[in-house]
Amino acid sequence: MTRPTRQRDHDRQRVGDEEAEEDEIDVEEIEDIDELDPEDFDPEDLTRTADGELIHEETGMIIEDEQIDPGPEWRAFNHNERQEKSRVGAPTTKTMHDKGLTTTIDWKDKDAYGRSISSKKRSQMHRLRKWQERIRTKDAGERNLQFALSEIDRMASALGVPRSVREVASVIYRRALNEDLIRGRSIEGVSTAALYAACRKEGIPRSLEEISEVSRVDRKEIGRTYRYISQELGLEMRPVDPKKYVPRFSSELELSEEVQSKANEIIETTAEQGLLSGKSPTGYAAAAIYAASLLCNEKKTQREVADVAQVTEVTIRNRYQEQIEAMGIHS
């Protein structure tokens, strides 16, 4: 004869409660909690609280209660105060040949208290600065790397790209140097190609024409070197999306958000039909902006758009005709 289901469930729950009670540590049986050895506790029974305390759950014993504050002992309420009170140097960076680890001598001729130093001390500091610059590079290889990284920094400043692009460009150049890809090519050409590759990697739209304007080498050499190092280093560059050029070109032409949205719509619609394949992204974006300005009654001439996008008027006319035909718009 079987027992009712409710009775069986009740018996099973009672047995489970009894087993759980046997496993638990009876705190009342412990005469002095200080006699417990924390090393005997099971690590799974220890819990770290939000306050940083390490406690034993069953006995409530606090194993660790002292917190170490890794922050500074001073307080700062703005950026200037933080810069003045900080006693550490700048972080390491790939944009410097020595990664920023060497010391620098300040150009100011003042002592630690801000007082002017004597002429004898000034000449001594001048000699120290000169030797400091000399010993930063131990051989011709480091001097060439220093020159290349300074070129990347100069061009990046002229293009107005963020710090992350400079870091990526420096890493690409260092990889090319380690793979011996610089041999037979100019330092300026490889550094410019590394910067162009970094812009594409970081999604910062800069055309070859814009890069060549701030570089000391011509456009053909930049393109040739870029293709070589990207293939050898396996950079796997994706084609540039013309829509990334639309905000910058529209801003320089002082066009409204409506024109930008229409230009993006034209690019998306025509690209789906395969018109973008094999076309220059800057010329394609410029033609879409020109078409959108006409449709939104904010007309810009082909010459104005071509000057901003650094393409020819012929390119804009050809891409414009293809785009309006694909959109089914009659000019």
Side-chain angles (χ1 to χ4, degrees), residues 82-94:
R82 194 173 295 109
Q83 291 292 97
E84 291 173 1
K85 293 182 178 181
S86 177
R87 296 189 296 274
V88 297
T92 57
T93 174
K94 298 286 187 179

Side-chain angles (χ1 to χ4, degrees), residues 108-117:
K108 297 176 183 176
D109 292 324
K110 295 182 182 296
D111 61 11
Y113 299 100
R115 297 176 300 207
S116 297
I117 59 178

Side-chain angles (χ1 to χ4, degrees), residues 263-277 284 288 319-320 322-328:
N264 287 330
E265 180 187 340
I266 292 171
I267 292 172
E268 288 178 1
T269 305
T270 55
E272 288 175 359
Q273 300 179 30
L275 293 182
L276 180 55
S277 180
Y284 205 85
R319 300 292 89 78
Y320 166 71
E322 294 170 358
Q323 288 173 356
I324 61 172
E325 287 176 9
M327 295 285 292

Side-chain angles (χ1 to χ4, degrees), residues 15-113:
V15 171
D17 293 342
E18 290 175 356
E19 291 176 353
E21 288 176 1
E22 290 176 0
D23 293 338
E24 290 181 357
I25 297 175
D26 191 356
V27 182
E28 295 178 356
E29 294 179 358
I30 302 174
E31 296 179 358
D32 189 358
I33 198 168
D34 294 332
E35 296 178 359
L36 290 173
D37 188 357
E39 294 182 358
D40 295 338
F41 293 144
D42 187 351
E44 295 183 357
D45 295 336
L46 303 180
T47 304
R48 180 77 65 177
T49 66
D51 297 332
E53 293 180 341
L54 186 66
I55 63 172
H56 186 251
E57 288 185 341
E58 295 181 1
T59 62
M61 182 178 181
I62 300 176
I63 311 299
E64 294 178 6
D65 60 351
E66 294 184 1
Q67 301 181 51
I68 299 175
D69 185 5
E73 81 283 1
W74 44 263
R75 294 192 302 168
F77 300 98
N78 56 49
H79 179 70
N80 290 335
E81 283 188 18
R82 194 173 295 109
Q83 291 292 97
E84 291 173 1
K85 293 182 178 181
S86 177
R87 296 189 296 274
V88 297
T92 57
T93 174
K94 298 286 187 179
T95 59
M96 300 177 71
H97 77 284
D98 53 11
K99 299 181 182 178
L101 294 175
T102 57
T103 56
T104 56
I105 301 176
D106 196 3
W107 58 270
K108 297 176 183 176
D109 292 324
K110 295 182 182 296
D111 61 11
Y113 299 100

